[in-house]
Amino acid sequence: MRSREQHWLWVVCVVAGLTTVAAAQIQLSGLSAAAQAKRQHVELLTDSVQVTAGKAQDVELSFRVEPGFHINSHTPKDELLIPTVLKVDAGQRIRNVSESYPNGTSYRLPIGDGETLDVYQGEFRVRVHLVAARGDSTMTGALRYQACDSASCFPPRTLPVQIAVSGR
């Protein structure tokens, strides 16, 4: 009987130890699974631009993809992949002519058959061709993308974009 009690005590200790390790790993990750799912994984670095009023010109909007993640380029290699697209609502004082995207970089998936993707990682810039009126105004829009790590992808996201534009 004594060995049976020792066995159960050992099982309880192992389960308690594993629970403690799992809880520590969750705390070390810093975010719950729900919070991880809500993360954007991409941030807008540009918050304002200064332009020459009344003149067509290009401005660069800088974005950064979180380390360890990538997003598909504007022209992914597979039509089933979600491209990164910036939609700009220029407003009354700004006329948006077009957006142009950088080339992506090759990224070979470390899982499966090692498919090669065309992605953005780290910092990338989208060029917006616009004409702004004299004075201060705001250009708004959204960056639509899908963030992935080396093993899985998150649902597509929309990052709000708001840029202060000063026409001088």
Side-chain angles (χ1 to χ4, degrees):
M1 188 77 170
R2 188 151 173 86
S3 68
R4 180 176 261 173
E5 289 172 354
Q6 288 173 336
H7 172 75
W8 283 111
L9 180 59
W10 180 81
V11 168
V12 168
C13 288
V14 168
V15 169
L18 291 174
T19 303
T20 301
V21 168
Q25 286 177 340
I26 290 170
Q27 288 177 343
L28 286 175
S29 75
L31 297 172
S32 68
Q36 285 275 3
K38 291 181 181 180
R39 288 172 57 186
Q40 289 287 347
H41 303 292
V42 176
E43 68 177 312
L44 173 65
L45 301 177
T46 307
D47 62 357
S48 64
V49 294
Q50 190 169 20
V51 297
T52 303
K55 180 182 176 188
Q57 60 213 292
D58 291 335
V59 297
E60 287 187 339
L61 305 184
S62 295
F63 297 89
R64 182 181 318 140
V65 180
E66 182 179 334
F69 291 87
H70 61 270
I71 61 175
N72 293 313
S73 74
H74 180 65
T75 53
K77 290 185 175 188
D78 186 329
E79 66 185 33
L80 297 177
L81 296 175
I82 297 170
T84 295
V85 177
L86 176 66
K87 297 281 186 188
V88 176
D89 178 20
Q92 295 177 335
R93 300 181 44 80
I94 303 168
R95 188 171 42 117
N96 178 31
V97 179
S98 64
E99 297 89 21
S100 61
Y101 298 84
N103 293 328
T105 58
S106 291
Y107 176 77
R108 186 176 173 97
L109 289 173
I111 60 172
D113 60 359
E115 179 181 4
T116 301
L117 305 175
D118 192 49
V119 302
Y120 299 137
Q121 293 179 293
E123 194 172 320
F124 70 97
R125 293 175 178 83
V126 177
R127 187 170 294 151
V128 177
H129 190 74
L130 57 81
V131 178
R134 183 168 300 283
D136 296 331
S137 53
T138 302
M139 179 173 58
T140 60
L143 183 76
R144 182 83 172 148
Y145 63 92
Q146 184 172 27
C148 305
D149 61 19
S150 61
S152 62
C153 290
F154 288 84
R157 299 269 190 242
T158 301
L159 176 70
V161 170
Q162 185 170 334
I163 309 294
V165 179
S166 179
R168 303 283 175 234

Short mmCIF file of all heavy atoms in Angstrom, two decimals, residues 82-147:
data_model
loop_
_atom_site.label_atom_id
_atom_site.label_comp_id
_atom_site.label_asym_id
_atom_site.label_seq_id
_atom_site.Cartn_x
_atom_site.Cartn_y
_atom_site.Cartn_z
N ILE A 82 -2.83 36.38 -49.91
CA ILE A 82 -3.40 37.72 -49.75
C ILE A 82 -2.30 38.76 -49.94
O ILE A 82 -1.33 38.79 -49.19
CB ILE A 82 -4.05 37.85 -48.36
CG1 ILE A 82 -5.21 36.87 -48.28
CG2 ILE A 82 -4.51 39.28 -48.10
CD1 ILE A 82 -5.81 36.72 -46.91
N PRO A 83 -2.43 39.63 -50.95
CA PRO A 83 -1.41 40.66 -51.19
C PRO A 83 -1.52 41.79 -50.16
O PRO A 83 -2.59 42.04 -49.61
CB PRO A 83 -1.74 41.17 -52.59
CG PRO A 83 -3.20 40.94 -52.74
CD PRO A 83 -3.51 39.68 -51.94
N THR A 84 -0.42 42.47 -49.95
CA THR A 84 -0.42 43.66 -49.11
C THR A 84 -0.87 44.83 -49.99
O THR A 84 -0.31 45.06 -51.06
CB THR A 84 0.98 43.92 -48.55
OG1 THR A 84 1.31 42.83 -47.68
CG2 THR A 84 1.04 45.23 -47.77
N VAL A 85 -1.91 45.55 -49.52
CA VAL A 85 -2.48 46.64 -50.31
C VAL A 85 -2.74 47.84 -49.40
O VAL A 85 -3.35 47.70 -48.34
CB VAL A 85 -3.80 46.21 -50.97
CG1 VAL A 85 -4.44 47.37 -51.73
CG2 VAL A 85 -3.58 45.03 -51.91
N LEU A 86 -2.28 49.00 -49.84
CA LEU A 86 -2.55 50.26 -49.15
C LEU A 86 -3.65 50.99 -49.90
O LEU A 86 -3.52 51.26 -51.10
CB LEU A 86 -1.30 51.13 -49.09
CG LEU A 86 -1.49 52.52 -48.47
CD1 LEU A 86 -1.84 52.42 -47.00
CD2 LEU A 86 -0.24 53.36 -48.68
N LYS A 87 -4.73 51.29 -49.22
CA LYS A 87 -5.82 52.10 -49.79
C LYS A 87 -5.78 53.44 -49.08
O LYS A 87 -5.82 53.49 -47.85
CB LYS A 87 -7.18 51.44 -49.55
CG LYS A 87 -7.36 50.10 -50.21
CD LYS A 87 -7.66 50.28 -51.65
CE LYS A 87 -7.99 48.92 -52.25
NZ LYS A 87 -8.11 48.93 -53.65
N VAL A 88 -5.68 54.51 -49.84
CA VAL A 88 -5.59 55.85 -49.27
C VAL A 88 -6.84 56.65 -49.60
O VAL A 88 -7.26 56.69 -50.75
CB VAL A 88 -4.33 56.58 -49.80
CG1 VAL A 88 -4.29 58.01 -49.28
CG2 VAL A 88 -3.07 55.83 -49.41
N ASP A 89 -7.42 57.26 -48.57
CA ASP A 89 -8.53 58.19 -48.74
C ASP A 89 -7.93 59.57 -48.54
O ASP A 89 -7.76 60.04 -47.41
CB ASP A 89 -9.62 57.91 -47.70
CG ASP A 89 -10.77 58.88 -47.80
OD1 ASP A 89 -10.93 59.52 -48.86
OD2 ASP A 89 -11.51 59.02 -46.81
N ALA A 90 -7.57 60.20 -49.62
CA ALA A 90 -6.80 61.43 -49.56
C ALA A 90 -7.59 62.60 -48.94
O ALA A 90 -7.02 63.44 -48.27
CB ALA A 90 -6.31 61.81 -50.95
N GLY A 91 -8.87 62.68 -49.16
CA GLY A 91 -9.65 63.78 -48.61
C GLY A 91 -9.79 64.92 -49.60
O GLY A 91 -9.37 64.83 -50.75
N GLN A 92 -10.34 66.04 -49.14
CA GLN A 92 -10.62 67.17 -50.02
C GLN A 92 -9.38 67.99 -50.35
O GLN A 92 -9.28 68.58 -51.40
CB GLN A 92 -11.68 68.07 -49.39
CG GLN A 92 -13.02 67.39 -49.25
CD GLN A 92 -14.02 68.30 -48.55
OE1 GLN A 92 -13.67 69.19 -47.79
NE2 GLN A 92 -15.29 68.04 -48.81
N ARG A 93 -8.43 68.06 -49.44
CA ARG A 93 -7.27 68.92 -49.63
C ARG A 93 -6.07 68.18 -50.23
O ARG A 93 -5.04 68.77 -50.48
CB ARG A 93 -6.88 69.56 -48.30
CG ARG A 93 -8.02 70.42 -47.73
CD ARG A 93 -7.65 71.08 -46.43
NE ARG A 93 -6.34 71.68 -46.39
CZ ARG A 93 -6.01 72.86 -46.90
NH1 ARG A 93 -6.91 73.58 -47.52
NH2 ARG A 93 -4.78 73.34 -46.79
N ILE A 94 -6.22 66.89 -50.43
CA ILE A 94 -5.13 66.08 -50.98
C ILE A 94 -5.70 65.24 -52.11
O ILE A 94 -6.75 64.60 -51.95
CB ILE A 94 -4.52 65.13 -49.92
CG1 ILE A 94 -4.03 65.93 -48.73
CG2 ILE A 94 -3.40 64.31 -50.52
CD1 ILE A 94 -3.68 65.08 -47.54
N ARG A 95 -5.01 65.22 -53.22
CA ARG A 95 -5.43 64.37 -54.33
C ARG A 95 -4.40 63.26 -54.45
O ARG A 95 -3.21 63.51 -54.67
CB ARG A 95 -5.52 65.17 -55.61
CG ARG A 95 -6.13 64.40 -56.76
CD ARG A 95 -6.39 65.30 -57.92
NE ARG A 95 -5.25 66.20 -58.12
CZ ARG A 95 -4.50 66.22 -59.21
NH1 ARG A 95 -4.78 65.46 -60.22
NH2 ARG A 95 -3.47 67.04 -59.31
N ASN A 96 -4.87 62.05 -54.29
CA ASN A 96 -4.01 60.88 -54.39
C ASN A 96 -4.03 60.37 -55.82
O ASN A 96 -5.09 60.10 -56.36
CB ASN A 96 -4.50 59.80 -53.42
CG ASN A 96 -3.69 58.53 -53.50
OD1 ASN A 96 -2.51 58.57 -53.79
ND2 ASN A 96 -4.33 57.42 -53.25
N VAL A 97 -2.88 60.26 -56.42
CA VAL A 97 -2.80 59.79 -57.79
C VAL A 97 -2.59 58.28 -57.84
O VAL A 97 -3.27 57.58 -58.58
CB VAL A 97 -1.69 60.55 -58.56
CG1 VAL A 97 -1.60 60.06 -59.98
CG2 VAL A 97 -1.96 62.04 -58.53
N SER A 98 -1.64 57.78 -57.04
CA SER A 98 -1.37 56.34 -57.07
C SER A 98 -0.46 55.91 -55.92
O SER A 98 0.12 56.75 -55.24
CB SER A 98 -0.70 55.97 -58.40
OG SER A 98 0.57 56.61 -58.48
N GLU A 99 -0.37 54.61 -55.73
CA GLU A 99 0.57 54.00 -54.79
C GLU A 99 1.51 53.11 -55.57
O GLU A 99 1.12 52.50 -56.57
CB GLU A 99 -0.14 53.14 -53.72
CG GLU A 99 -1.09 53.89 -52.82
CD GLU A 99 -2.50 53.96 -53.37
OE1 GLU A 99 -2.86 53.13 -54.23
OE2 GLU A 99 -3.24 54.85 -52.94
N SER A 100 2.76 53.02 -55.13
CA SER A 100 3.68 52.04 -55.72
C SER A 100 4.38 51.31 -54.57
O SER A 100 4.68 51.90 -53.53
CB SER A 100 4.67 52.70 -56.68
OG SER A 100 5.46 53.64 -56.01
N TYR A 101 4.61 50.06 -54.82
CA TYR A 101 5.10 49.15 -53.77
C TYR A 101 6.52 48.70 -54.07
O TYR A 101 6.89 48.54 -55.23
CB TYR A 101 4.18 47.92 -53.68
CG TYR A 101 2.76 48.29 -53.32
CD1 TYR A 101 1.86 48.69 -54.30
CD2 TYR A 101 2.34 48.24 -52.01
CE1 TYR A 101 0.55 49.03 -53.96
CE2 TYR A 101 1.04 48.58 -51.66
CZ TYR A 101 0.16 48.98 -52.64
OH TYR A 101 -1.13 49.33 -52.31
N PRO A 102 7.27 48.41 -53.01
CA PRO A 102 8.62 47.88 -53.23
C PRO A 102 8.54 46.42 -53.68
O PRO A 102 7.51 45.75 -53.50
CB PRO A 102 9.26 47.98 -51.85
CG PRO A 102 8.11 47.83 -50.90
CD PRO A 102 6.95 48.52 -51.59
N ASN A 103 9.63 45.96 -54.27
CA ASN A 103 9.72 44.53 -54.57
C ASN A 103 9.82 43.78 -53.25
O ASN A 103 10.41 44.27 -52.29
CB ASN A 103 10.95 44.22 -55.42
CG ASN A 103 10.84 44.81 -56.80
OD1 ASN A 103 9.75 44.92 -57.35
ND2 ASN A 103 11.96 45.20 -57.37
N GLY A 104 9.25 42.61 -53.22
CA GLY A 104 9.38 41.76 -52.04
C GLY A 104 10.72 41.05 -52.06
O GLY A 104 11.50 41.17 -53.01
N THR A 105 10.99 40.30 -51.01
CA THR A 105 12.18 39.48 -50.95
C THR A 105 11.75 38.02 -50.90
O THR A 105 10.65 37.70 -50.45
CB THR A 105 13.05 39.80 -49.72
OG1 THR A 105 12.27 39.62 -48.54
CG2 THR A 105 13.56 41.23 -49.77
N SER A 106 12.62 37.14 -51.35
CA SER A 106 12.32 35.71 -51.32
C SER A 106 12.43 35.18 -49.90
O SER A 106 13.37 35.51 -49.18
CB SER A 106 13.28 34.93 -52.22
OG SER A 106 13.02 35.24 -53.56
N TYR A 107 11.47 34.37 -49.53
CA TYR A 107 11.46 33.76 -48.20
C TYR A 107 11.08 32.29 -48.39
O TYR A 107 9.99 31.99 -48.88
CB TYR A 107 10.46 34.46 -47.28
CG TYR A 107 10.32 33.80 -45.93
CD1 TYR A 107 11.30 33.98 -44.95
CD2 TYR A 107 9.22 33.01 -45.62
CE1 TYR A 107 11.18 33.40 -43.71
CE2 TYR A 107 9.09 32.42 -44.38
CZ TYR A 107 10.08 32.62 -43.42
OH TYR A 107 9.96 32.03 -42.20
N ARG A 108 11.97 31.41 -48.01
CA ARG A 108 11.71 29.97 -48.15
C ARG A 108 11.14 29.45 -46.84
O ARG A 108 11.78 29.57 -45.79
CB ARG A 108 12.99 29.24 -48.52
CG ARG A 108 12.78 27.79 -48.83
CD ARG A 108 14.09 27.15 -49.29
NE ARG A 108 13.95 25.74 -49.44
CZ ARG A 108 13.70 25.13 -50.58
NH1 ARG A 108 13.61 25.84 -51.68
NH2 ARG A 108 13.57 23.82 -50.63
N LEU A 109 9.96 28.86 -46.92
CA LEU A 109 9.33 28.31 -45.73
C LEU A 109 10.16 27.14 -45.19
O LEU A 109 10.54 26.26 -45.97
CB LEU A 109 7.91 27.82 -46.04
CG LEU A 109 6.88 28.91 -46.30
CD1 LEU A 109 5.56 28.29 -46.77
CD2 LEU A 109 6.65 29.73 -45.05
N PRO A 110 10.41 27.13 -43.88
CA PRO A 110 11.22 26.04 -43.32
C PRO A 110 10.42 24.77 -43.06
O PRO A 110 10.95 23.81 -42.54
CB PRO A 110 11.74 26.64 -42.01
CG PRO A 110 10.70 27.63 -41.62
CD PRO A 110 10.14 28.17 -42.91
N ILE A 111 9.14 24.76 -43.42
CA ILE A 111 8.31 23.59 -43.20
C ILE A 111 7.76 23.08 -44.53
O ILE A 111 7.82 23.78 -45.54
CB ILE A 111 7.15 23.89 -42.23
CG1 ILE A 111 6.26 25.01 -42.79
CG2 ILE A 111 7.67 24.28 -40.86
CD1 ILE A 111 5.00 25.25 -42.01
N GLY A 112 7.19 21.90 -44.50
CA GLY A 112 6.57 21.34 -45.70
C GLY A 112 7.59 21.12 -46.81
O GLY A 112 8.69 20.66 -46.57
N ASP A 113 7.20 21.52 -48.03
CA ASP A 113 8.08 21.32 -49.17
C ASP A 113 9.03 22.51 -49.39
O ASP A 113 9.71 22.59 -50.40
CB ASP A 113 7.27 21.04 -50.44
CG ASP A 113 6.33 22.19 -50.81
OD1 ASP A 113 6.29 23.20 -50.07
OD2 ASP A 113 5.63 22.07 -51.83
N GLY A 114 9.05 23.44 -48.42
CA GLY A 114 9.98 24.57 -48.52
C GLY A 114 9.60 25.57 -49.59
O GLY A 114 10.46 26.14 -50.25
N GLU A 115 8.30 25.81 -49.77
CA GLU A 115 7.82 26.77 -50.78
C GLU A 115 8.50 28.13 -50.59
O GLU A 115 8.74 28.58 -49.48
CB GLU A 115 6.30 26.91 -50.62
CG GLU A 115 5.67 27.87 -51.58
CD GLU A 115 4.16 28.00 -51.35
OE1 GLU A 115 3.62 27.41 -50.41
OE2 GLU A 115 3.54 28.72 -52.13
N THR A 116 8.80 28.79 -51.70
CA THR A 116 9.40 30.12 -51.66
C THR A 116 8.33 31.17 -51.90
O THR A 116 7.58 31.09 -52.87
CB THR A 116 10.52 30.26 -52.70
OG1 THR A 116 11.51 29.26 -52.44
CG2 THR A 116 11.16 31.62 -52.64
N LEU A 117 8.28 32.15 -51.00
CA LEU A 117 7.28 33.21 -51.07
C LEU A 117 7.95 34.54 -51.41
O LEU A 117 9.15 34.70 -51.24
CB LEU A 117 6.56 33.34 -49.73
CG LEU A 117 5.91 32.09 -49.16
CD1 LEU A 117 5.36 32.38 -47.77
CD2 LEU A 117 4.82 31.59 -50.08
N ASP A 118 7.15 35.51 -51.84
CA ASP A 118 7.61 36.87 -52.08
C ASP A 118 7.00 37.72 -50.96
O ASP A 118 5.78 37.92 -50.93
CB ASP A 118 7.13 37.34 -53.46
CG ASP A 118 7.80 38.61 -53.89
OD1 ASP A 118 9.04 38.69 -53.81
OD2 ASP A 118 7.09 39.54 -54.31
N VAL A 119 7.84 38.22 -50.02
CA VAL A 119 7.33 38.82 -48.80
C VAL A 119 8.02 40.14 -48.46
O VAL A 119 9.04 40.50 -49.05
CB VAL A 119 7.50 37.86 -47.60
CG1 VAL A 119 6.79 36.54 -47.84
CG2 VAL A 119 8.97 37.64 -47.27
N TYR A 120 7.43 40.83 -47.48
CA TYR A 120 8.07 41.97 -46.83
C TYR A 120 8.40 41.52 -45.41
O TYR A 120 7.58 40.88 -44.74
CB TYR A 120 7.13 43.18 -46.75
CG TYR A 120 6.67 43.72 -48.09
CD1 TYR A 120 5.35 44.09 -48.28
CD2 TYR A 120 7.55 43.88 -49.14
CE1 TYR A 120 4.92 44.61 -49.49
CE2 TYR A 120 7.13 44.40 -50.36
CZ TYR A 120 5.81 44.75 -50.52
OH TYR A 120 5.39 45.26 -51.73
N GLN A 121 9.61 41.85 -44.99
CA GLN A 121 10.06 41.60 -43.62
C GLN A 121 10.77 42.85 -43.15
O GLN A 121 11.32 43.61 -43.96
CB GLN A 121 11.04 40.43 -43.55
CG GLN A 121 10.42 39.10 -43.88
CD GLN A 121 11.45 37.98 -43.82
OE1 GLN A 121 12.36 37.94 -44.63
NE2 GLN A 121 11.30 37.10 -42.86
N GLY A 122 10.80 43.07 -41.85
CA GLY A 122 11.47 44.26 -41.34
C GLY A 122 10.77 45.51 -41.83
O GLY A 122 9.55 45.57 -41.92
N GLU A 123 11.56 46.52 -42.21
CA GLU A 123 10.98 47.78 -42.66
C GLU A 123 10.78 47.77 -44.18
O GLU A 123 11.63 47.29 -44.91
CB GLU A 123 11.90 48.95 -42.27
CG GLU A 123 11.25 50.30 -42.40
CD GLU A 123 12.09 51.42 -41.82
OE1 GLU A 123 12.71 51.22 -40.76
OE2 GLU A 123 12.13 52.50 -42.45
N PHE A 124 9.66 48.31 -44.61
CA PHE A 124 9.40 48.50 -46.05
C PHE A 124 8.65 49.81 -46.23
O PHE A 124 8.04 50.33 -45.30
CB PHE A 124 8.64 47.30 -46.66
CG PHE A 124 7.21 47.16 -46.21
CD1 PHE A 124 6.17 47.66 -46.98
CD2 PHE A 124 6.90 46.53 -45.01
CE1 PHE A 124 4.85 47.54 -46.56
CE2 PHE A 124 5.59 46.40 -44.59
CZ PHE A 124 4.56 46.90 -45.36
N ARG A 125 8.73 50.34 -47.45
CA ARG A 125 8.11 51.64 -47.75
C ARG A 125 7.18 51.53 -48.95
O ARG A 125 7.53 50.95 -49.96
CB ARG A 125 9.19 52.68 -48.03
CG ARG A 125 10.03 53.02 -46.83
CD ARG A 125 11.16 53.98 -47.21
NE ARG A 125 11.94 54.34 -46.06
CZ ARG A 125 12.94 53.61 -45.55
NH1 ARG A 125 13.25 52.46 -46.10
NH2 ARG A 125 13.61 54.03 -44.49
N VAL A 126 6.02 52.17 -48.81
CA VAL A 126 5.08 52.30 -49.91
C VAL A 126 5.11 53.76 -50.34
O VAL A 126 4.99 54.66 -49.51
CB VAL A 126 3.65 51.88 -49.50
CG1 VAL A 126 2.68 52.08 -50.65
CG2 VAL A 126 3.64 50.43 -49.02
N ARG A 127 5.28 53.99 -51.62
CA ARG A 127 5.34 55.34 -52.16
C ARG A 127 3.93 55.76 -52.60
O ARG A 127 3.25 55.03 -53.32
CB ARG A 127 6.29 55.37 -53.34
CG ARG A 127 6.55 56.78 -53.87
CD ARG A 127 7.67 56.80 -54.86
NE ARG A 127 8.90 56.47 -54.14
CZ ARG A 127 9.95 55.87 -54.69
NH1 ARG A 127 9.93 55.53 -55.95
NH2 ARG A 127 11.01 55.61 -53.98
N VAL A 128 3.51 56.95 -52.15
CA VAL A 128 2.21 57.50 -52.52
C VAL A 128 2.45 58.76 -53.33
O VAL A 128 3.16 59.66 -52.90
CB VAL A 128 1.37 57.84 -51.26
CG1 VAL A 128 0.05 58.48 -51.64
CG2 VAL A 128 1.14 56.58 -50.43
N HIS A 129 1.88 58.79 -54.53
CA HIS A 129 1.99 59.96 -55.41
C HIS A 129 0.77 60.83 -55.14
O HIS A 129 -0.37 60.37 -55.26
CB HIS A 129 2.03 59.49 -56.87
CG HIS A 129 2.38 60.56 -57.83
ND1 HIS A 129 3.65 61.04 -57.96
CD2 HIS A 129 1.60 61.26 -58.70
CE1 HIS A 129 3.67 61.98 -58.89
NE2 HIS A 129 2.43 62.13 -59.35
N LEU A 130 1.00 62.10 -54.75
CA LEU A 130 -0.12 62.96 -54.36
C LEU A 130 0.14 64.42 -54.70
O LEU A 130 1.26 64.83 -55.00
CB LEU A 130 -0.41 62.82 -52.87
CG LEU A 130 0.71 63.11 -51.86
CD1 LEU A 130 0.88 64.58 -51.61
CD2 LEU A 130 0.41 62.40 -50.57
N VAL A 131 -0.94 65.19 -54.64
CA VAL A 131 -0.89 66.64 -54.75
C VAL A 131 -1.66 67.17 -53.54
O VAL A 131 -2.80 66.79 -53.31
CB VAL A 131 -1.55 67.14 -56.05
CG1 VAL A 131 -1.53 68.67 -56.11
CG2 VAL A 131 -0.89 66.54 -57.27
N ALA A 132 -1.00 68.05 -52.75
CA ALA A 132 -1.64 68.59 -51.55
C ALA A 132 -1.83 70.09 -51.68
O ALA A 132 -1.00 70.80 -52.26
CB ALA A 132 -0.77 68.28 -50.33
N ALA A 133 -2.92 70.56 -51.12
CA ALA A 133 -3.19 72.00 -51.07
C ALA A 133 -2.32 72.65 -49.99
O ALA A 133 -1.79 71.96 -49.12
CB ALA A 133 -4.67 72.24 -50.77
N ARG A 134 -2.19 73.96 -50.05
CA ARG A 134 -1.42 74.70 -49.03
C ARG A 134 -2.13 74.55 -47.68
O ARG A 134 -3.35 74.57 -47.61
CB ARG A 134 -1.32 76.16 -49.40
CG ARG A 134 -0.47 76.98 -48.42
CD ARG A 134 -0.14 78.35 -48.94
NE ARG A 134 0.62 78.36 -50.19
CZ ARG A 134 1.94 78.11 -50.30
NH1 ARG A 134 2.64 77.81 -49.24
NH2 ARG A 134 2.53 78.16 -51.47
N GLY A 135 -1.34 74.37 -46.64
CA GLY A 135 -1.87 74.25 -45.28
C GLY A 135 -1.76 72.83 -44.76
O GLY A 135 -1.11 71.98 -45.37
N ASP A 136 -2.38 72.62 -43.63
CA ASP A 136 -2.32 71.31 -42.96
C ASP A 136 -3.59 70.52 -43.23
O ASP A 136 -4.69 71.06 -43.21
CB ASP A 136 -2.14 71.49 -41.46
CG ASP A 136 -0.81 72.16 -41.11
OD1 ASP A 136 0.14 71.99 -41.89
OD2 ASP A 136 -0.74 72.84 -40.07
N SER A 137 -3.41 69.22 -43.48
CA SER A 137 -4.53 68.32 -43.70
C SER A 137 -4.13 66.92 -43.24
O SER A 137 -3.00 66.69 -42.84
CB SER A 137 -4.96 68.33 -45.16
OG SER A 137 -3.87 68.08 -46.00
N THR A 138 -5.06 66.00 -43.34
CA THR A 138 -4.80 64.63 -42.91
C THR A 138 -5.16 63.66 -44.02
O THR A 138 -6.24 63.75 -44.61
CB THR A 138 -5.63 64.29 -41.65
OG1 THR A 138 -5.30 65.23 -40.61
CG2 THR A 138 -5.33 62.88 -41.16
N MET A 139 -4.23 62.76 -44.28
CA MET A 139 -4.47 61.68 -45.24
C MET A 139 -4.73 60.41 -44.42
O MET A 139 -3.95 60.07 -43.54
CB MET A 139 -3.23 61.49 -46.13
CG MET A 139 -3.36 60.38 -47.14
SD MET A 139 -1.96 60.32 -48.30
CE MET A 139 -0.56 60.12 -47.22
N THR A 140 -5.85 59.76 -44.70
CA THR A 140 -6.19 58.54 -43.98
C THR A 140 -6.27 57.38 -44.96
O THR A 140 -6.34 57.57 -46.17
CB THR A 140 -7.54 58.68 -43.24
OG1 THR A 140 -8.55 58.97 -44.20
CG2 THR A 140 -7.48 59.77 -42.19
N GLY A 141 -6.28 56.19 -44.42
CA GLY A 141 -6.39 55.01 -45.26
C GLY A 141 -6.20 53.77 -44.42
O GLY A 141 -6.35 53.79 -43.19
N ALA A 142 -5.83 52.67 -45.09
CA ALA A 142 -5.66 51.40 -44.40
C ALA A 142 -4.70 50.50 -45.20
O ALA A 142 -4.73 50.50 -46.43
CB ALA A 142 -7.00 50.70 -44.24
N LEU A 143 -3.88 49.78 -44.46
CA LEU A 143 -2.99 48.77 -45.05
C LEU A 143 -3.60 47.41 -44.76
O LEU A 143 -3.81 47.04 -43.60
CB LEU A 143 -1.59 48.86 -44.44
CG LEU A 143 -0.57 47.89 -45.05
CD1 LEU A 143 -0.12 48.40 -46.42
CD2 LEU A 143 0.63 47.72 -44.12
N ARG A 144 -3.92 46.68 -45.81
CA ARG A 144 -4.51 45.33 -45.67
C ARG A 144 -3.40 44.32 -45.95
O ARG A 144 -2.68 44.42 -46.96
CB ARG A 144 -5.64 45.17 -46.68
CG ARG A 144 -6.35 43.85 -46.60
CD ARG A 144 -7.38 43.88 -45.52
NE ARG A 144 -8.17 42.66 -45.60
CZ ARG A 144 -8.69 42.07 -44.55
NH1 ARG A 144 -8.56 42.59 -43.37
NH2 ARG A 144 -9.39 40.98 -44.69
N TYR A 145 -3.23 43.33 -45.07
CA TYR A 145 -2.14 42.36 -45.17
C TYR A 145 -2.48 41.11 -44.37
O TYR A 145 -3.46 41.10 -43.61
CB TYR A 145 -0.83 42.97 -44.64
CG TYR A 145 -0.92 43.30 -43.17
CD1 TYR A 145 -0.53 42.39 -42.20
CD2 TYR A 145 -1.46 44.51 -42.74
CE1 TYR A 145 -0.66 42.68 -40.86
CE2 TYR A 145 -1.59 44.81 -41.41
CZ TYR A 145 -1.19 43.88 -40.47
OH TYR A 145 -1.33 44.16 -39.14
N GLN A 146 -1.65 40.10 -44.49
CA GLN A 146 -1.75 38.90 -43.67
C GLN A 146 -0.37 38.57 -43.13
O GLN A 146 0.56 38.35 -43.90
CB GLN A 146 -2.29 37.72 -44.46
CG GLN A 146 -2.49 36.49 -43.58
CD GLN A 146 -3.20 35.37 -44.30
OE1 GLN A 146 -3.13 35.25 -45.52
NE2 GLN A 146 -3.87 34.52 -43.53
N ALA A 147 -0.25 38.57 -41.82
CA ALA A 147 1.02 38.27 -41.16
C ALA A 147 1.15 36.77 -40.91
O ALA A 147 0.18 36.10 -40.55
CB ALA A 147 1.13 39.02 -39.84
#
